[in-house]
Amino acid sequence: MVRKRLLAVINCLSTHSSKEQPLSLQEIKSQLMHEYDLELSDKMIRTELKFLQSSASLYKLETGTNNKNYKEKVYYLENTSFQIHELRYLMDAVSSARFISQSETNQLIYKLRGLTDEFTSKRLANELIHTEGKIGIMHFADNVQTLHEAIKAKKCVKFQYGRYNVDKEFILSREGDFYKVIPLGVVWYQEYYYLIAKEEGKEKIIQYRIDRMSSVMKTEDSWVPNPGFDLEKYVSQLFHMYSGEQSGIAMEFDNHLINVVIDRFGLDAKIKNLENGRFLLEVDGVVSMGLVRWLLTWGADAKALRPTKLVDMMKKEIGRYDGLYT
């Protein structure tokens, strides 16, 4: 009975009290009767409150003075699990993730709001507006977990891979044959999960969209990590998860794009002021269509200087515009 009494007091304070809305002893007493059908004396409740203030308690009970009656104490449990801004971050991440269906989004947000008191939960009622549609993917969570487990266990994985066609039909590549790869890491980039992997028998590293994978399975085949491969460095050199040839890259930008470049490459980027309203950026990166299309985003305000392969790719892509708007 004593344990049940203490748990009831903890649940009552966790649910109904907060720093902004603490509870008096009589309010705690009323809630315990209403919700838990526990008729406790003032002395019993004070005993539990005293324990919650002791060093033996894992909870942090705070006290204050009732604004309406300065002689009366009020109580609330400090939320040691999540602060309101932390819950907001988690809710917004769930809301913006396209691979989480709307129904699952609603369930997760409901659970996240249940991790705090009622007052704070109401402050979290305004949800993030997401601008892109969500896509429900069968077994997506299981696939992500399988990949993480395979990476940890240093096991290969196999899966089917596909894309939608213009009729919105999901068509499997290789006529449904399985890909077998060495999984190097999982990356979340621009609202999508990617698997960074090497296909069996090949050296080239490829990025696979996990929402385009199906029938993901961990195999019994083991693999040995390459000590010279740095996953974080590799990912930082990619543009929009496109694979390509790694090279030293030089690009020129108008000065108004300095914050765009810093957002993409960080404050440590090698930048040189050209004193003509433009600046030079030199980086090690992957030459790919992802980089070409990123540069074309900025029109004539961005220019590729080297390597020659990148310049040729830019010319070819720009040439495709000729006659497009006639």
Side-chain angles (χ1 to χ4, degrees):
M1 176 63 184
V2 174
R3 181 174 294 178
K4 181 179 178 181
R5 194 168 70 197
L6 175 61
L7 288 174
V9 172
I10 291 172
N11 287 334
C12 173
L13 289 167
S14 297
T15 305
H16 301 291
S17 75
S18 66
K19 184 177 181 179
E20 293 79 6
Q21 290 189 338
L23 298 178
S24 67
L25 187 144
Q26 295 307 313
E27 287 171 327
I28 295 171
K29 187 176 182 177
S30 175
Q31 287 286 354
L32 292 173
M33 171 61 78
H34 176 69
E35 290 196 15
Y36 302 94
D37 198 26
L38 285 177
E39 189 172 356
L40 304 183
S41 66
D42 292 1
K43 183 179 179 180
M44 290 176 178
I45 297 173
R46 286 195 181 98
T47 298
E48 306 308 337
L49 294 174
K50 185 177 180 180
F51 171 79
L52 290 174
Q53 289 181 300
S54 72
S55 58
S57 172
L58 297 175
Y59 296 87
K60 189 174 181 181
L61 181 68
E62 300 287 352
T63 61
T65 303
N66 194 330
N67 293 330
K68 298 178 182 178
N69 180 1
Y70 70 92
K71 293 183 179 180
E72 184 178 44
K73 280 187 175 183
V74 287
Y75 306 87
Y76 69 93
L77 278 181
E78 185 175 290
N79 188 344
T80 56
S81 298
F82 293 98
Q83 300 299 314
I84 185 170
H85 69 277
E86 294 171 331
L87 288 170
R88 175 63 70 188
Y89 292 158
L90 293 172
M91 287 172 55
D92 289 349
V94 168
S95 293
S96 62
R98 296 191 67 201
F99 52 82
I100 304 177
S101 68
Q102 190 58 57
S103 61
E104 191 175 5
T105 295
N106 295 338
Q107 292 173 16
L108 286 170
I109 287 177
Y110 178 80
K111 291 177 181 179
L112 287 169
R113 289 179 61 186
L115 295 175
T116 189
D117 59 88
E118 288 182 338
F119 178 77
T120 304
S121 179
K122 289 177 182 177
R123 294 175 64 192
L124 292 166
N126 186 43
E127 296 176 14
L128 182 75
I129 303 299
H130 47 85
T131 58
E132 296 184 342
K134 285 178 168 278
I135 302 172
I137 302 160
M138 191 176 295
H139 306 305
F140 181 82
D142 293 336
N143 291 343
V144 172
Q145 184 61 29
T146 297
L147 293 172
H148 277 295
E149 290 175 359
I151 293 168
K152 184 177 180 181
K154 303 294 185 291
K155 295 292 185 181
C156 293
V157 295
K158 65 177 186 178
F159 54 86
Q160 293 173 299
Y161 197 73
R163 292 176 175 82
Y164 286 97
N165 63 15
V166 293
D167 296 318
K168 301 180 184 178
E169 299 169 329
F170 191 77
I171 306 300
L172 291 174
S173 303
R174 302 181 179 179
E175 298 183 346
D177 285 349
F178 278 80
Y179 291 65
K180 186 175 180 182
V181 305
I182 295 172
L184 301 174
V186 171
V187 176
W188 189 358
Y189 176 78
Q190 293 189 346
E191 301 182 22
Y192 292 104
Y193 271 113
Y194 290 84
L195 172 67
I196 312 296
K198 278 202 305 184
E199 194 165 0
E200 191 177 48
K202 299 180 182 179
E203 287 300 315
K204 187 178 181 181
I205 297 174
I206 299 178
Q207 292 67 248
Y208 299 92
R209 278 256 302 266
I210 297 179
D211 57 296
R212 292 176 177 168
M213 297 163 62
S214 64
S215 304
V216 179
M217 290 176 276
K218 180 172 64 175
T219 73
E220 292 303 314
D221 296 334
S222 300
W223 55 277
V224 179
N226 178 358
F229 178 70
D230 186 329
L231 180 62
E232 289 189 13
K233 182 178 180 181
Y234 173 77
V235 171
S236 70
Q237 294 174 341
L238 295 175
F239 285 82
H240 305 297
M241 289 294 137
Y242 278 74
S243 300
E245 180 183 327
Q246 191 167 335
S247 176
I249 299 169
M251 298 168 283
E252 188 179 295
F253 298 88
D254 271 13
N255 283 346
H256 74 88
L257 290 175
I258 184 62
N259 286 285
V260 169
V261 169
I262 288 174
D263 287 346
R264 177 62 182 81
F265 298 95
L267 285 170
D268 293 332
K270 188 178 179 181
I271 293 172
K272 180 182 178 181
N273 187 356
L274 298 178
E275 298 183 349
N276 60 352
R278 293 172 76 86
F279 65 90
L280 175 69
L281 170 70
E282 294 179 293
V283 296
D284 289 326
V286 173
V287 177
S288 67
M289 283 308 300
L291 173 56
V292 169
R293 288 167 182 170
W294 182 77
L295 284 168
L296 288 174
T297 301
W298 315 112
D301 294 342
K303 180 182 178 181
L305 301 178
R306 60 177 186 272
T308 302
K309 179 179 179 179
L310 174 60
V311 175
D312 291 342
M313 290 172 68
M314 292 289 294
K315 289 178 180 178
K316 184 177 180 180
E317 190 67 13
I318 291 169
R320 295 179 61 208
Y321 286 84
D322 187 31
L324 191 61
Y325 299 101
T326 57

